[in-house]
Amino acid sequence: MFTSAGQVTWNGSALETQATDTGSLTGEIPVAAPVHLPTLTNWKHAEESPEAAPGFDDSSWQVADKTTTNSVSGVNSLPVLYADDYGFHTGNTWYRGRFRATGKETGVHLVSDSGGKAQAFSAWLNGTFLGSSTTGSADFAFPDGSVKSKGDNVISVLTVNMGHEEDYNSTNGNKTARGLTSASLVGAPLTSVTWRLQGVRGGEDLQDTVRGPLSTGGLYGERAGWSLPGYPDGDWSRVSLPTADTRPGVSWYRTDVNLDLPRGQDTSLGLTFTDDPSRKYRATIFVNGWQVGNYVNYLGPQSTFPVPNGILNPNGRNSIAIAVWNLDGSTGGLGKVSLTNYGSYASSLRVAQNDSPRYNPRTYAMPKRPGADVTLDVPNTAQSGEAFTAEATVQVPKDKPSASGLTASLSAPDGWSVSPTSPMSVERLLPGGSATFTWKVQPPTGQLPPASALTATVHYLQNGRQAAGGDERIVGGIPPAPPAGKNAVSGLPFLSSTNGWGPVERDSSVGEQAAGDGRPITIAGVGYPKGLGTNSISDVELYLAGKCTRMTAYVGVDDETGGAGTVTFSVIADGKTLVTTPTIRGKQAAVPIDVDVSGAQVVDLKVGDAGDGNGNDHGDWAVPTLTCG
């Protein structure tokens, strides 16, 4: 080496050198010392997902009551369910929907968009697991006996946001919807569901401002601080990995590991998961409270996740927490988790430790149940100018102190009138006691919105402090029946609509995810000026009021798929399937549909995915026409 150098340093340290016969200097460069990684043991395990239980307190959650959206996905049906419109932009979001049964409800149709190919959601009814979907849509049947004839039935749905698109082509794809995009009850399209949702705690007002929005989501354990170092997990059960778990939903695994890596070198570590890919679970990984990845065991391909120094403490204690979402009731659990050395090199690099705030019991205490429960009972639907009764019941739980000075009020949309039909105040309620308040509600004349929100609020004094409780419910607006004569379906109001990719489009193909991005409807080279552009699995419900006799259409896969796509089309009247086509493929000529719908109150136009997923399933209802009167 260098003949004129007086001294040589390597990575900031002086190198011992000797002169050679030619006058140059030679010396040995130090290499990285061997790294010995500990085995991850002493795992602790706890189950969560209390949101799936019917009695879970979601009174602090937001009601899905918005009628407009900031998303380019447009609106399928009202109210808007998209998580972003309610301030939840990352990670998991829970939904809980309430409905009063009419006896006709047989299941629920759900559509969700997670982003990318890692779609997933799970659903429960009154605590009974219905199943999971990894395709973005599903029809879940309600098991026998699971629907309650009285009181609220609760549908719980866990969704995930795998990220928003980068707006690389200026189509605003970064604003496509995430979370539930539409939901409807099977067999009872006129039964309203009021949804509440909860994502990352605090929404856009983050609780953890150090780690930021990409490091947390809306799982119960995240909201309660289970992912953080120092969380008191002493009462969790001990478990060894790998382990099996047959309980659907989310559970957590935590351990601590002490590291003392050789100093003066750059060692890059990560966590590696090893398991049979047939096991259907997902895992969200936290190190010292920082989220470092999402592992999808059944999908992959990533199975090892780097943990940068600074997040990882190479010479100290590290907390590892893994939230595991089991998507079925048989193949869950967690495989082997181990530390992996990606490479170690002698280096002068010094990495400062990130601030990694520890668990604070005051900050992460979960909201307490209100001192009084308020339940609003309203009809499923309202019609133009027809009055109905709204009833709010307030009850003091047996384990809560008495409430006094109770006063009630009911708010309704502009143009609706509300008149009390009972006293609006109660002097006192003892523990376990209840009182009921009633109002006459008069909707305005003219066509009502598809969804309107009514909110009951009760103010009271308890423990010497003023408090308030409330309940909000969605009332569906029944559209007018189609007029006499021939009606283009694309010009009629929808009772509801769901779609597997973007919104249902009127008089164009479905296009992509944004509203209004479709093309003229074309099937096997034939253009059609009117129709509905959809993507399976989709359905459009129309209110006929028994006044229509015939439904005709031509159906097929839109040419914009380039010949890809396989779909089926069904016409369902009041829950009875009138026709289902065989599988229709891209480039296949349109298939005519002509069915008798005499006497039907509601007709459902449904597009299925033919059992092979919904990719490229751009199903067109060309010139669909209802003959009425």
Side-chain angles (χ1 to χ4, degrees), residues 7 37 142 163 168 214 304 311 371 377 381 420 496-497 499-500 577 579:
Q7 186 181 48
L37 297 178
F142 293 155
Y168 54 87
L214 298 182
T304 186
I311 289 176
D377 188 6
T381 58
S496 71
S497 66
N499 206 42
T577 301
V579 65

Side-chain angles (χ1 to χ4, degrees), residues 153-443:
N153 291 274
V154 180
I155 304 170
S156 301
V157 184
L158 175 59
T159 68
V160 65
N161 179 355
M162 296 298 290
H164 288 81
E165 298 176 28
E166 294 183 4
D167 194 16
Y168 54 87
N169 56 5
S170 299
T171 62
N172 283 328
N174 58 314
K175 297 179 184 177
T176 53
R178 294 292 182 263
L180 278 184
T181 55
S182 54
S184 60
L185 292 172
V186 178
L190 299 182
T191 300
S192 293
V193 182
T194 300
W195 292 94
R196 292 175 181 261
L197 69 162
Q198 174 66 61
V200 59
R201 192 168 181 178
E204 293 173 347
D205 185 14
L206 291 177
Q207 202 153 17
D208 188 343
T209 57
V210 173
R211 296 181 178 90
L214 298 182
S215 215
T216 188
L219 295 177
Y220 182 90
E222 291 177 286
R223 306 196 311 270
W226 293 13
S227 59
L228 301 177
Y231 179 80
D233 56 14
D235 60 347
W236 289 23
S237 60
R238 294 190 176 276
V239 66
S240 297
L241 299 184
T243 187
D245 189 353
T246 59
R247 176 183 175 273
V250 179
S251 63
W252 286 69
Y253 299 82
R254 285 177 51 92
T255 191
D256 290 330
V257 59
N258 291 313
L259 294 176
D260 189 16
L261 302 183
R263 300 174 189 272
Q265 60 191 53
D266 181 12
T267 301
S268 181
L269 300 187
L271 291 171
T272 297
F273 292 72
T274 307
D275 206 351
D276 182 346
S278 67
R279 299 176 67 189
K280 208 159 188 179
Y281 68 83
R282 307 162 64 97
T284 304
I285 312 156
F286 301 87
V287 176
N288 295 326
W290 295 84
Q291 187 190 134
V292 297
N294 282 279
Y295 170 60
V296 184
N297 183 65
Y298 57 88
L299 186 62
Q302 186 175 358
S303 60
T304 186
F305 298 84
V307 184
N309 288 342
I311 289 176
L312 186 76
N313 186 349
N315 302 101
R317 194 169 184 83
N318 293 271
S319 168
I320 299 173
I322 303 173
V324 177
W325 177 3
N326 293 335
L327 274 77
D328 61 25
S330 58
T331 63
L334 181 59
K336 181 182 177 182
V337 182
S338 57
L339 288 168
T340 297
N341 181 7
Y342 299 128
S344 190
Y345 305 92
S347 171
S348 59
L349 178 67
R350 299 292 182 267
V351 178
Q353 285 301 124
N354 287 8
D355 182 18
S356 298
R358 294 173 63 82
Y359 171 76
N360 183 317
R362 180 172 299 180
T363 302
Y364 288 93
M366 297 302 281
K368 293 183 179 180
R369 193 178 192 94
D373 297 324
V374 179
T375 304
L376 179 61
D377 188 6
V378 295
N380 281 307
T381 58
Q383 290 185 296
S384 170
E386 295 188 11
F388 60 86
T389 297
E391 181 179 279
T393 300
V394 56
Q395 182 176 38
V396 176
K398 293 181 180 180
D399 60 347
K400 298 289 185 179
S402 299
S404 61
L406 296 94
T407 59
S409 62
L410 182 73
S411 64
D414 292 342
W416 297 50
S417 66
V418 175
S419 305
T421 56
S422 72
M424 290 291 102
S425 62
V426 171
E427 183 176 344
R428 190 174 189 82
L429 281 180
L430 298 175
S434 64
T436 299
F437 307 95
T438 59
W439 298 265
K440 177 185 176 182
V441 181
Q442 180 83 40

Side-chain angles (χ1 to χ4, degrees), residues 444-477:
T445 56
Q447 184 172 336
L448 298 179
S452 299
L454 299 176
T455 306
T457 304
V458 178
H459 293 270
Y460 55 92
L461 187 68
Q462 194 175 48
N463 277 337
R465 297 181 179 180
Q466 290 290 338
D471 191 19
E472 183 176 336
R473 297 291 171 130
I474 300 298
V475 178

